[in-house]
Amino acid sequence: LVAPPPAAPTAAGEDPGPANDAGSDGDGDERGGSEPVDGRSEPRPIDATYAGWCAPGDGAMCAFVDPDEGKFLCAPGSALRPAAWFPCVDDGGSLVHFSAVVRCDPDLTAVLPGVLTKTDVIEETIPNPTDGTKRTRSRRAFNYVSGGVPVQAHQMVLAVGTFAARKIPTSDAHRDKFAAAARAEEEDKEEEAAKNDADGANARFHQYLDNAAESTAHSSTHALLCPPCHADDELPAAASCATSALKSFETYLGRPFPYPGGLTFCFVPPDALPVSMDLRLPAMLGAGVTILSTDRLGHPLSAADLVTSRTAIAECAARQLFGGFLEPREDTDAWLAEGLASYMAGACYVSSLMGADELKYQRAREVEAVVECDDGDALPPLASPSARIWARGRSACGASAEEVKARAVGEARARGEDPNAVAALEHARDIAPASKPPRPPAPGVDTLLRYKAVAVVEMLERKLGEEGMQKVIRKLASLQGKAPGAESLQEAAIAASKATKAAKEKAAAAAEAAKTEGADESANAAAKEKAAATAREQLQREHQESIAYHALAESPARFLRSRVFLNLCRQNATMTKADMSAFNARWIEGCGCPRLTAAYTFRKTRRQELLFAIKLDGCLAAAAADRVAWSKNPKVSVTVRIQENDLPPSDHAVSLSAHDRAYVLMPLQLVTKPKDRRTIARQQEAAMRRQQQAMEAGKANPDNLDAMAAAEVLQWECPVSWVRVDPEGEWLAKVVLPSAQQGLEGMITKQLMSERPADPAAQMWAIRFLRERAENGSTSAVNALLQCAEDPKTFCRVRAEAAMALGACACDGTQRSNLALSSVTRTYRRRRCDSRTGLPKPTDLADFAAAIVDEGLVTALGLPRAPPESTNGWDDADDAWVTPTECVDLLVDALNHTESDGDPHDSSSLIAAAIHALGRARPATLDGVLRITRAIAGRMRENATICGVGGRAHEGGRRVMVAGMLALRTLLERLPPLPESIRAANEAKKAIEAAGGANGEGAPGVRRRRSAAPGSGGGGDDEEAEEKARLSAVAVGAVVAECVATARSFVADGVGIDPCPAVRRAAVALQFGIEASHGGPCGVARALAFATLACKAERSGGVRAAILWDARDALLYSYPDAPAQLAALTTSSGTSGPSGTSGTGTGTSGAPDPKPDRHGFDVFEWTAVSLRIASRRAGAETATAALAVMRAASGLDHHDYPHERDLDDLKAREVARDAVLAGAAQAANDIEDEADEAERAERRRKKEEKAKARAEKEERRARKEERRARRRAAEAAAAAEAAA
């Protein structure tokens, strides 16, 4: 590894940033000099075209040297491909055994997958390039073998550095499992060595094999390694966490981890890790080796860092099984690996470490984020190729070549292309598998997809139960244990391949022998018969090889498949094939989260019932997914849980599918019998009397009297305490209740405070509902939130959420808003302030739950809003609100006077919460802006001098500095632009001086007094107002200039200089905000150029990608008009030229000013060229971020899909969605037409029946008249005969 000196500028537009390390991707350099690491002095020259980015061929490794922590190296580098750092066949279907030797300096330690057999100290002789002499140096060799478990090439990772180690003994079951594997591997290698070396000269190799077998069978241990500066405090805490996590996992799985050498957790400085900081779990996973950042080490005195560290270690350990040893078979199975790993980490370790409420709270927050963002476009389906959340965007390679070709041919036919050409192109995979670079998704998409994967697994767990899900996971984990040590299927495939090769050679030789005909006819016939027999044997061997390969590819023994997992779930649950098919179509293959809108009321009858109404709706993607799910299973329902007074809760199933997205009205029968009317009347009278007595005694709020009395009366009339829709979380949907409906608030309050055991997810939903009620004017909702925030029996994070909701309710200056504001400030003062002085008390953070509530209260102080009393020069007229002065004073005092006298615990999390709250605040006066800026700057200078318990390079130790930079950026975005403020201030000063000189008065105050004197006329008021406006402009200019200067001072100390990557990243974000908000017409272009320049000069590959993603987010959300400004720069520069004019380049007098346009165009052109180079050469993650920045700057779309393939997948999903909805609409029209036709046929049938009945009636009448006429005639004849 060579760290060359910084390269000088070689061309116009290129920056003088540090060049790349030879073979190290430029992701790290030696700080403080250019001395070579291994003695070499001549670095490889760097092409100026790629200055600051990776030159072609780099990206193999990432190196970093720190004078305090030591030297470190990680592989792979930013290329994230195994073929970039060692020759291999990068194919997921190729499982191989390996042996490796790593030589390094004696003070370094090398970590590789497999089993460490031995370490040797060797002497090397190297020539001196200056005088040609030779010198000897000592090297340390680390010997590793696979230990009986084959691995893929991409599972090979390397970490070399100055480490302090801590060993954890493995379980007895782990040692017993791999003893036989080690012996089998030893016998195979000895047999192979005997064939190659029959005379026994390779004694060294035989000794190596003996050491390998002994180490594998008897000396395997789990290990944790970190820099020596973290060995005393952080490493023991991490070792304790790893011990507990691994023990809980082995107990849950019923078997040890499948790696013979144990698991190794290697912590390296973040500058040596080429993984983006934005990932939910920034780590590199190998076969039994996990490389993490030292930011994931938690100090025992920092509770927040400990929680983060323990969760990260547990999830990394779980990913060694799901996602490491058991890999997804295809890209559509990537969600399963991540979902199962996070689920097992939470169920086995997080819930036991921090309690079940903590896990439920985290899962509820994750589900809330997914529901809010999944609109069908922002997130792809879990079973989509765009959902690449495994191995940082790596494509899964478990599918066979035949399946890949068949899928490609089918897609080609669907697109109307030639399938033969596609099949020929895909056939290259059979000949030479290519090592393709990964395509990581956007960090936001990656995090939300992981959240959704865990949510889907937990939805299945609720259907199976905890024991059922444990059986399924044990089944998946036990499939890989059929043949301990080596994969039986892999061995069969290798044996079949060797047999096929031998049969081919034998058949070829027999065919050549049969072609040569001799004089002996019997010999010729025998040769031909032998050739035919060998040909038949060749065909048989090829068939057996195909069967063995397909058995390997189809086997879940090393690959995870969604179909196998869902079948196992269905077998262990009371689910039919239709139920599981509908579940898969809705939540795995479909996207978009629906919305469940519900309402209910009590109806008193003889059998009391709750009249319940619910409707299912949502985005178009959700509607299409619902249609597909209903077509597979028409019986879709949602569970409604009703809690009656003094009775256990009861669940009711409400069907949704039969009503086709219309409201479902269903009466739910209650168990409680109705009360007598006279009893209800007496209870109502008693309630009103108690409320009146309480009001007279001063124990109740008169404004809340009617609401409390109505709640008591409703409780007596209605026996239902509360109602919950989808209580078990079987729907990934947003539940909406009408906040204006009367009677629901009392039920929600009862659920929030009285449900036992309490469900944090239900409590968070109740807090959101009460917040909506409070914002609509409900005082009782404010009291309910206050009661929840002060209740010591409620979970601490729920109390913090209630406090923040209480602060957000104070938003309009009404009496209810003032009540919420006074509740927040009063509670904060009682908990955190000294009653005698009013200043914050010294911290006492021994109780972590109390510290979380205090942070929630501090955050709540920054949320209240009030209408401004007067309009200042820097107020935004479109969004006029200010933070109450009382809240600003409390937060400033919290920063200036919070001390940790005698408290050893780290208080940086509490201080950072106060800084974030001040950053969101909008003070009512300019003096408040200066106080906020100076308070934040004071804490940042203190943190720069005395960092937190994690150290200067630790993200937790510099939490205050990062929070301060982000808060200053938010504050500066709300101030008027600096050039306009300075220009307005200068004009105001000139006007004041001119007015003072014209009147012969030097001081503006004298003029103001004279103009306000009696009898001066109405013009004095106007002059005084003008003078106040001028003075205000001067004050605004001074305040904005001081704030910008303060922010720039921290940027100068942070960008590229600070040892903490998080601080460097925050400094770039702060400078981006300064340039974009206060840089004039070219501010956005300058901001993008600065971010690109800082990215090129950054030594950490993870920070590079994070800087570009921050720039992309700022362009999309903070500065939505940035694409238009950049387009105006390019248009004006391209059309007007050096002497042209444009709207953005004119000054205040209207004269053309072409320099800003030309300057902005040149800056933006340089940025665009640099980003285009980065998208091709800067590594997988940085290239993806560069593509996203270019799309955001061009204003193409707001989707997090920087890759063209992902955009094509999005368009294909939209077409499929429209087709489903169109088909559903056509089906509905067909059903309607059929109904109309049936109705018309029924009317025709009834008409014909009526006509037939009328005809029959007329026929009967005619026959009756005929009979009557005959009778009359007979009577007349008889009468005539009688008369005669």
Side-chain angles (χ1 to χ4, degrees), residues 101-189:
V101 180
V102 181
R103 296 185 179 93
C104 58
D105 291 343
D107 60 334
L108 301 180
T109 303
V111 179
L112 269 175
V115 180
L116 176 63
T117 59
K118 66 175 182 177
T119 58
D120 293 332
V121 177
I122 59 178
E123 301 293 333
E124 290 184 353
T125 302
I126 58 175
N128 192 341
T130 57
D131 53 4
T133 61
K134 296 183 179 181
R135 63 185 179 92
T136 303
R137 65 175 180 179
S138 298
R139 305 286 282 175
R140 193 178 180 189
F142 293 84
N143 300 271
Y144 285 89
V145 295
S146 58
V149 175
V151 299
Q152 290 97 334
H154 66 85
Q155 291 182 328
M156 297 297 296
V157 295
L158 171 65
V160 181
T162 309
F163 292 123
R166 192 178 184 93
K167 301 292 184 179
I168 303 174
T170 57
S171 61
D172 295 337
H174 185 277
R175 289 190 292 270
D176 296 340
K177 175 182 177 181
F178 293 102
R183 288 191 294 270
E185 183 181 6
E186 176 190 2
E187 294 174 358
D188 294 341
K189 290 189 175 181

Side-chain angles (χ1 to χ4, degrees), residues 991-1014:
I992 292 174
E993 293 175 357
N999 294 316
E1001 301 164 354
V1006 177
R1007 174 176 177 171
R1008 183 168 61 251
R1009 288 193 297 270
R1010 289 185 179 181
S1011 62

